[in-house]
Amino acid sequence: MSDERRRLLAEKTPFPDDLGDRLHAQLTFLVEIDQLKTVLRQSPLAAADRRENDAEHSWHLAMMVVILSEHSDQPIDVGHTVQLVLVHDLVEIYAGDTPLYDSAAGGDQREREVAAADELFGLLPADQARRMRLLWDEFEERRTPEARFAKAMDRFQPLLLNWMARGGTWRTPGVTADDVRARKAVIGEASASLWRAGRRLIDEGETRGWSRRATPPE
Amino acid sequence: MSDERRRLLAEKTPFPDDLGDRLHAQLTFLVEIDQLKTVLRQSPLAAADRRENDAEHSWHLAMMVVILSEHSDQPIDVGHTVQLVLVHDLVEIYAGDTPLYDSAAGGDQREREVAAADELFGLLPADQARRMRLLWDEFEERRTPEARFAKAMDRFQPLLLNWMARGGTWRTPGVTADDVRARKAVIGEASASLWRAGRRLIDEGETRGWSRRATPPE
């Protein structure tokens, strides 16, 4: 990390200094995370001809948790799972999005994201900074049923968008249908029925030529 | 409502017909609501030079619930309140956004939105359609502490964005600082401390000339 302090978004139009320290810190954080709306992902929208951003993606995952929670193999707390997906991509505001099929960028991803978490969550009062970090760690570690389901939604949602786009990022050069199946298999850790559906879409996409076959036919 | 059936987004790339009726309906709904990302609001982003869309707005409200819930005058269930804000603008996919300071469009807003709710939530299995409608009704009626807090966030978030933009929609022709205070007073039904902060920002904005004074000085 550089010694130079990052210029915060809220500094563009500083708040009056009599709001109280705690609320001032909370509003500074809430303005800073407006930047999640500018972090572009690889996935194409179904509803418009442009790429999705992280805020839209996070909202969509949250709706998927609300609608699909019954498919979890283990009972989950929906309200808690929703919070996991709302928060899971915040670190990308400072660390950037790492595309699923970009193995080079994956190398120092964890290091960059931990530094981003320290800096971004550190804008909040200490108790809330700790809670944000706990939510993010829980998502990343996938040890709870809620975290496994949240992660499954994070993989299932772009799968839906790729299906709608008749390929989307499945067409990334060098990526095969087997690569897609391998990257998406984590869905099966949370839900056998959703992974069955996900595989069905990937297989059908391969049959239709929307992804590259692993071994070219003889 | 027209007799002609709306063409659904999922019909562009139909799902295989062996996913099971219930999951098929759920995925059709989840693809259809991708359109929330294309419903533009009046509010300017803090992080980029463009207007906000409803999906970004809904995600931002959900984060505000997570971070600001301690300011609610009554105890609230955070997970439930988050679900209220995730769902509250879905009807705008078919009914469109009605700007806060547009009193003409407000006339048939309720009628248009109820028709939109019937049609959109009707894509889901019946039990989930009912649950979505209950969430939306709860938000609109503001009879629970959770709904009052959700509504307060819906008014407080654009206030923050307008502050960051040094005016934003406060500069709408014909709108005065008193109009802004009147439209935002609903924040006070959920949180005395947040309404105090909100009023402070509106008052300071008026002082700085970012909104029009109610009565011109003599």
Side-chain angles (χ1 to χ4, degrees):
Chain A
M1 301 274 309
S2 150
D3 281 343
E4 207 175 317
R5 205 173 66 78
R6 187 187 299 271
R7 189 168 152 79
L8 300 174
L9 211 47
E11 292 178 65
K12 284 191 188 174
T13 314
F15 293 119
D17 57 11
D18 55 2
L19 295 180
D21 287 350
R22 189 167 170 93
L23 181 57
H24 197 286
Q26 290 168 331
L27 297 185
T28 297
F29 173 80
L30 288 169
V31 166
E32 188 72 1
I33 65 173
D34 201 59
Q35 294 174 81
L36 199 69
K37 303 166 188 172
T38 69
V39 179
L40 282 186
R41 298 171 47 81
Q42 299 297 317
S43 306
L45 292 191
D49 187 21
R50 65 168 171 85
R51 284 157 64 194
E52 188 181 42
N53 68 54
D54 268 348
E56 298 169 327
H57 168 69
S58 299
W59 167 80
H60 212 167
L61 295 196
M63 284 303 304
M64 290 179 74
V65 171
V66 171
I67 297 299
L68 298 178
S69 62
E70 69 192 45
H71 297 280
S72 176
D73 292 335
Q74 289 182 270
I76 57 169
D77 178 323
V78 170
H80 183 69
T81 313
V82 164
Q83 291 180 63
L84 292 175
V85 301
L86 291 175
V87 166
H88 85 290
D89 268 344
L90 283 177
V91 296
E92 297 189 357
I93 289 174
Y94 293 158
D97 176 51
T98 302
L100 187 58
Y101 302 111
D102 179 349
S103 43
D108 67 339
Q109 181 184 0
R110 176 73 192 164
E111 195 180 330
R112 282 184 293 111
E113 292 191 347
V114 167
D118 287 345
E119 193 178 352
L120 183 64
F121 300 155
L123 297 175
L124 285 166
D127 60 308
Q128 292 195 306
R130 275 193 302 275
R131 175 157 151 66
M132 286 295 108
R133 179 58 187 259
L134 283 174
L135 285 170
W136 183 56
D137 286 346
E138 182 183 345
F139 177 86
E140 291 284 310
E141 291 165 5
R142 304 208 301 274
R143 287 206 208 113
T144 61
E146 283 79 8
R148 282 192 289 273
F149 198 78
K151 189 72 177 183
M153 296 303 95
D154 192 33
R155 293 288 160 89
F156 197 71
Q157 189 255 4
L159 195 159
L160 269 186
L161 293 182
N162 281 338
W163 171 266
M164 288 304 300
R166 306 183 179 208
T169 64
W170 293 345
R171 298 180 189 272
T172 305
V175 171
T176 68
D178 278 347
D179 294 331
V180 176
R181 275 184 284 267
R183 295 291 216 289
K184 299 294 180 182
V186 73
I187 297 170
E189 294 177 17
S191 167
S193 60
L194 290 181
W195 180 220
R196 195 159 46 237
R199 257 197 338 252
R200 179 78 181 84
L201 296 178
I202 297 169
D203 293 350
E204 180 68 22
E206 183 183 12
T207 301
R208 297 189 192 182
W210 300 347
S211 58
R212 190 187 304 258
R213 281 173 200 280
T215 28
E218 301 275 322
Chain B
M1 301 273 309
S2 150
D3 282 343
E4 206 175 319
R5 204 174 66 77
R6 185 187 300 271
R7 187 167 153 78
L8 300 174
L9 210 47
E11 292 178 65
K12 284 191 186 174
T13 314
F15 293 118
D17 55 12
D18 54 3
L19 296 181
D21 287 350
R22 189 166 170 92
L23 181 56
H24 197 287
Q26 290 168 331
L27 297 185
T28 298
F29 173 80
L30 288 168
V31 166
E32 189 71 1
I33 65 173
D34 201 60
Q35 294 174 83
L36 198 69
K37 302 165 189 172
T38 68
V39 179
L40 281 186
R41 299 170 47 80
Q42 299 297 317
S43 305
L45 292 191
D49 188 20
R50 64 168 173 86
R51 284 158 62 194
E52 187 181 45
N53 68 53
D54 268 348
E56 297 169 327
H57 168 70
S58 299
W59 167 80
H60 212 165
L61 295 196
M63 284 303 304
M64 290 179 74
V65 170
V66 171
I67 298 298
L68 298 178
S69 62
E70 69 192 47
H71 298 281
S72 175
D73 292 336
Q74 290 181 271
I76 56 169
D77 178 324
V78 170
H80 182 70
T81 313
V82 164
Q83 291 181 62
L84 293 174
V85 301
L86 291 175
V87 166
H88 85 289
D89 268 344
L90 282 176
V91 297
E92 297 189 358
I93 289 174
Y94 293 158
D97 175 52
T98 303
L100 187 60
Y101 303 109
D102 179 350
S103 44
D108 66 339
Q109 180 184 2
R110 176 73 193 164
E111 194 180 330
R112 282 184 293 112
E113 293 191 347
V114 167
D118 288 345
E119 193 179 353
L120 183 65
F121 301 156
L123 297 175
L124 285 166
D127 60 309
Q128 292 195 307
R130 274 194 301 276
R131 173 153 153 68
M132 286 295 109
R133 179 58 186 260
L134 283 175
L135 285 170
W136 183 57
D137 285 346
E138 181 182 346
F139 177 86
E140 291 283 310
E141 291 166 5
R142 304 208 301 273
R143 288 208 205 112
T144 61
E146 283 79 9
R148 282 192 289 273
F149 198 77
K151 189 73 178 184
M153 295 303 95
D154 192 33
R155 293 289 160 87
F156 196 70
Q157 190 256 4
L159 195 159
L160 270 186
L161 293 182
N162 281 338
W163 171 265
M164 288 304 300
R166 305 181 181 211
T169 64
W170 293 346
R171 297 180 188 272
T172 306
V175 171
T176 67
D178 277 348
D179 294 330
V180 176
R181 275 183 284 267
R183 296 291 216 288
K184 300 293 180 182
V186 73
I187 297 169
E189 294 178 19
S191 168
S193 59
L194 291 181
W195 180 220
R196 194 160 46 236
R199 255 197 339 250
R200 179 78 180 85
L201 296 179
I202 297 168
D203 293 351
E204 181 68 22
E206 182 183 12
T207 301
R208 297 189 192 181
W210 301 346
S211 58
R212 190 185 303 260
R213 280 173 200 281
T215 27
E218 300 277 320

